Structures are given as structure tokens and as C-alpha cells.
Amino acid sequence: MTPHIDPSAEVDVNATVGDGTTVWGLAHIREDAVVGRGCTIGRGAYVGPGATLGADCKVQNYALIYEPARVEDGVFIGPAAVLTNDPHPRALTPDGAAKGPQDWTPVGVTVRHGASIGARAVCVAPVTVGRWALVAAGSVVTRDVPDHALVAGSPARRIKWVGRAGVPLEDQGDGRFHCPVTGEAYTEVATDVLRRDADPA
């Protein structure tokens, strides 16, 4: 199934948009960006040059994904969320000249499989958001987020664990957790390391 691209969206001829993907109005997908199959790119969203999104991602309205972000399959990026790419932003060089592309090296945010970034959250590069993690709305992520962690605040810190359904896990004691939606069991195998019991070691 070919992608559906709204006439008001701007998709560079050198971008790749996968089968079945929908790109809504006023979205902007830059040169050499790759958007996988079955994605939804919301109104006014931005995907920078060379950024990559896997399959089945949902990028909500006015989210900004700056290059060289790497977003894996099944990721949710909420409205007006930002993945940054410059840890030391300046408009000018130290000698007062306007900075050009040659004056800095962009660094990216990585968002792993199944993770979610809440509305208006900011991920400050370079950070990695782990598999099935959940970044609460309005949070500012300044360090890596473990798999299955629910982080919140500024700077964001882990406040709970979440399962694949996205709801907080119930603490069963002795490092064991239970998902009230799916029934899956999880074990905290080390500090900030949670493993679903069915997953390989």
C-alpha cells in the first residue's frame, strides 16, 4: 500500500517514506530522512535530514525530530515533543560569526523499540530511551532511560516500571513485578534493570 501524503506536507525527493505511512498536513520530512512502513506523521511534525524512523511509529502533531535521531519500530512520540541534536547550542562562533553547518557536529537521540515520549517532553541529545520505556509529558530527559522505566520531571528520573501495555507495574516484592493489564511477570535483575520473565537472559 503506497503512502498517503497530504498535499500541504513537504517531503523531500530524497526522503524515503514506507508503504502504508500517512503524512498529515504541514509536516516536513527532510532530505535523506527515512520513515518506515505503517507510520503516522502528524500535522506540522518535523523529521530532520538523515533521521530514521522504523515501522509502525506514531509521531504526533508538531513533534520535532532533529537529525541524526534513530527511532526504532513501534515508537510513540507525543505532540510537540522534541528530540534535540546540539548539547552546546550557539547561534554564533566564539569570534562572533554566524555559525554554519561546518561549525558543529549534530548528535542524536535514540529511541528504542516500543518506547513512548509524552507530549512536550524534551530529550536532550545524546541520550537513549530504552525499549518499552515511557517518558512522562513535559519531562526533560538528560540521561539514558532504562528499558521499561517510567521517568518524569526535570531532569527526568525513574519513578516506576512499566510493561508493554504502558501502565505502571504492580510491585510484588522481592524484585518481582506484575502487569495488571497483560498479566506478564517481570523481575528486577539489577539496579535499573528490569526483565520480562519470558525474555531470554
Side-chain angles (χ1 to χ4, degrees), residues 6 14 22-23 34 36 43 57 76 80 100 105 108 112 120 122 131 138 150 156-157 161 163 165-166 185:
D6 187 276
N14 291 317
T22 298
V23 181
V34 176
R43 179 180 178 86
C57 293
F76 174 91
T105 301
R112 306 297 303 275
R120 289 195 178 274
V122 177
R131 297 174 185 85
L150 166 57
R157 302 189 185 283
W161 292 115

Side-chain angles (χ1 to χ4, degrees), residues 49 66-69 84-87 101 103-108 125:
Y66 289 103
E67 69 284 356
T84 75
N85 67 355
D86 190 349
D103 295 315
W104 67 293
T105 301
V107 294

Side-chain angles (χ1 to χ4, degrees), residues 12-109:
D12 190 271
V13 295
N14 291 317
T16 300
V17 178
D19 289 345
T21 286
T22 298
V23 181
W24 289 104
L26 304 178
H28 190 184
I29 301 176
R30 296 282 303 276
E31 64 274 12
D32 302 319
V34 176
V35 178
R37 60 174 174 75
C39 293
T40 300
I41 308 298
R43 179 180 178 86
Y46 175 85
V47 181
T52 63
L53 280 72
D56 302 316
C57 293
K58 294 188 182 298
V59 178
Q60 300 290 81
N61 295 358
Y62 300 101
L64 306 175
I65 301 174
Y66 289 103
E67 69 284 356
R70 297 289 178 265
V71 177
E72 295 184 355
D73 294 350
V75 166
F76 174 91
I77 298 178
V82 182
L83 309 186
T84 75
N85 67 355
D86 190 349
H88 308 291
R90 290 288 195 215
L92 302 176
T93 65
D95 62 7
K99 285 181 75 170
Q102 72 283 355
D103 295 315
W104 67 293
T105 301
V107 294
V109 171

